[in-house]
Structures are given as C-alpha cells and as structure tokens.
Amino acid sequence: MATPVLYVFAISHYCEKARWALDYQSINYNIQHLPPGIHGRVAKKLGAPTSSLPILQVGTQIIQGSGNIISWAEANKAAESPTLACDETSQLDLDGLHKLSGEEIGKRLDDVLGVHVRRYYYSEALVDYPQLVRPIFVRDLTPFQQGLTNISWGVIRKLMARKMDLGHSQGLESRQLLEAELDWLDQLLAGGGQYLIGRHLTRVDITAASLLAPLVLPQEHPTYAGIKWSPNVAVDCETWQNRRSLQWVKEIYRKYR
Ligand SMILES: N[C@@H](CCC(=O)N[C@@H](CS)C(=O)NCC(=O)O)C(=O)O
C-alpha cells in the first residue's frame, strides 16, 4: 500500500482528531499542511466531494472527513494496534429513558460541539485579534506558502468570516450553545468514568478531546504550542478549566497523546 497522505490545517480541531486516530493506531502516513485558499484547489484536484480538510489519500482512494478517516484507520490498522471501536452505549442514562450510542454522541460532538467551539473561538480571534491566529496558520507551511498566506491574509480572514458566519453576536450565540454542550459532557462524565463510553479509549473520546482542545490548549497537542487565547476567550476558558469535561480533556491528552 502506498504511504497514505493526510492533508490538514495545523489549527483545525477536526484535522487533529483524524491525525490523533492515525497516530494512536500507529499507522504510517505523511502529513501535508495546506494554506487556506489553496486547500480548495488541492481538494478538487484530489477529487474530494467538498473542499474541507482533513482528507486522507491512500493511493487512488480519497477519504474525506475526520469520522471517515477514523473508520478507515480502524479497518486498516495492524492487528496488534488498539481498537477505537465503540460498541457499547453510555453508562449514564441521561434522560432516564434511553442510553446514548457512540454514534449518537459522536454525531452531536461533530455537528454541534465542534462547529460552535470553532465559531465561538474565531468570532473573537479572527475578527478582532487576527495576529494571534496567523502564526498557527502559517506554521508548517513552505516558505513560499507562508509568503502567499501572509500577503493574502486580509482576504483569507474575510472569506473565513463569511463561510463560518463569524461576528460579535454570532460569537455570543455560539458561546451559549457551547456552554450547553459542556453541561452535557460534564453530566456524561459525572459518574467519574475514565471514558465517555465503555472501558477503553474509543473514537468518541478522541473526538471530544480534540474538538475541545482549543479551550484547553493541552501541552501534548502537536500544533498548539505558543498559541494564545484572545482576551474574552481567555477569561471564559480560565473559568471553564475546572469543569469536569475540560479536566477530562487534559487527562485524555496526558495519557493518550
Ligand atoms: N465534519 C468535518 C468537518 C471538517 C471541517 O469543518 N473542516 C474545516 C476546517 S476545521 C475546513 O476544512 N474548512 C474549509 C473548507 O470547508 O473549505 C470533519 O469531521 O472532517
């Protein structure tokens, strides 16, 4: 099999999720960091259905989306590598009526938590403090790509703000939704369990921990060294650090990343 290539943005928490799963399952791959803007052309050239990263290229096979990449990793890992499969249901009966499957939890993390962490964070950082964000966008790029990104930074910011619907009121809306997701995760973890589901690390844990990493900035994160929160995000995150969910993210990173 040709060595797989993982196309990523260094800052993206969905890209971190895919990269962590490949690392955890000891899959040999090459990483390709892409500049925002150029990524769309690369995705098109690869024949991916949309422009979003992460994308994994394995020979002629193109796997797009962090969840699909984890499924590919699970199917292609060495027999002795640990499984990330999640076959059990949550131990906690959230509403007293039903238990949640890994698929249900994973979908909510991807579609709600991940989206609002990003919109909340960028609504301040990318709009008011872009100088805090640019270094992480350009790190790991070639000098030519760095130059290109620096020159086009104003345009890139505007396009990203439009695509993700960023702004002051949108940031506040995402903050409120995010707090509800943190309440939900705190409750899921309230039993003191080490994992969101079952008795070993699963894809659901990697999903939750990587999508929450921008609120924790764990030391073990491969691309967040030196990154700083913007002022209001810093105040919130410092207040949230004692929440069970964010303490848990720290523990999971310390043990498994
Ligand atoms: N659900 C997707 C979300 C991926 C996603 O939103 N990627 C963003 C970066 S965080 C992206 O590539 N945005 C640029 C684009 O869509 O062109 C996944 O899990 O991979």
Side-chain angles (χ1 to χ4, degrees):
M1 177 173 76
T3 305
V5 181
L6 182 68
Y7 295 88
V8 296
F9 293 129
I11 197 168
S12 160
H13 53 352
Y14 291 105
C15 293
E16 161 66 353
K17 172 183 157 190
R19 187 174 45 199
W20 187 351
L22 294 173
D23 291 341
Y24 184 68
Q25 295 187 318
S26 304
I27 289 178
N28 182 33
Y29 66 98
N30 293 322
I31 197 147
Q32 179 81 56
H33 289 90
L34 293 178
I38 303 293
H39 78 284
R41 276 196 243 160
V42 174
K44 197 168 179 189
K45 205 164 160 197
L46 289 170
T50 74
S51 59
S52 83
L53 302 185
I55 295 174
L56 187 72
Q57 178 185 27
V58 190
T60 55
Q61 198 186 354
I62 297 299
I63 302 117
Q64 186 169 41
S66 56
N68 293 334
I69 293 170
I70 297 186
S71 300
W72 180 90
E74 187 62 29
N76 289 278
K77 71 179 185 64
E80 64 277 13
S81 290
T83 178
L84 285 171
C86 184
D87 303 324
E88 298 185 43
T89 48
S90 67
Q91 291 169 18
L92 291 165
D93 210 348
L94 285 184
D95 54 5
L97 295 173
H98 79 295
K99 295 186 175 193
L100 294 169
S101 67
E103 210 173 314
E104 285 174 300
I105 296 180
K107 185 164 167 39
R108 180 162 167 178
L109 293 170
D110 277 340
D111 296 352
V112 186
L113 180 87
V115 170
H116 290 290
V117 164
R118 184 174 61 191
R119 187 163 170 253
Y120 159 73
Y121 171 84
Y122 279 145
S123 277
E124 184 175 57
L126 206 57
V127 174
D128 297 325
Y129 300 91
Q131 72 283 6
L132 288 181
V133 188
R134 192 171 52 165
I136 189 164
F137 271 93
V138 298
R139 57 161 289 161
D140 304 311
L141 298 179
T142 64
F144 175 74
Q145 292 172 331
Q146 287 183 346
L148 201 66
T149 306
N150 286 335
I151 290 171
S152 339
W153 184 236
V155 178
I156 292 171
R157 275 177 61 206
K158 279 203 187 109
L159 290 175
M160 286 179 71
R162 194 176 330 138
K163 182 158 185 166
M164 290 184 276
D165 185 25
L166 308 180
H168 184 65
S169 60
Q170 295 93 323
L172 290 175
E173 183 188 56
S174 283
R175 182 184 184 281
Q176 203 177 358
L177 292 163
L178 177 52
E179 282 204 296
E181 294 311 288
L182 292 177
D183 289 344
W184 171 62
L185 282 173
D186 286 347
Q187 199 184 337
L188 271 183
L189 291 160
Q194 235 189 308
Y195 309 105
L196 281 169
I197 288 192
R199 274 148 292 177
H200 67 89
L201 187 82
T202 69
R203 57 187 297 154
V204 174
D205 299 308
I206 286 191
T207 301
S210 44
L211 297 183
L212 284 171
L215 309 183
V216 175
L217 306 181
Q219 278 176 5
E220 300 79 6
H221 193 289
T223 58
Y224 284 179
I227 198 173
K228 285 201 180 79
W229 290 312
S230 50
N232 289 314
V233 168
V235 170
D236 285 340
C237 288
E238 274 149 25
T239 311
W240 292 336
Q241 288 314 297
N242 290 330
R243 278 177 169 268
R244 171 72 185 119
S245 48
L246 297 196
Q247 291 284 322
W248 174 85
V249 171
K250 251 186 229 147
E251 281 162 34
I252 292 288
Y253 261 88
R254 200 169 43 235
K255 283 191 195 142
Y256 296 106
R257 192 71 174 114

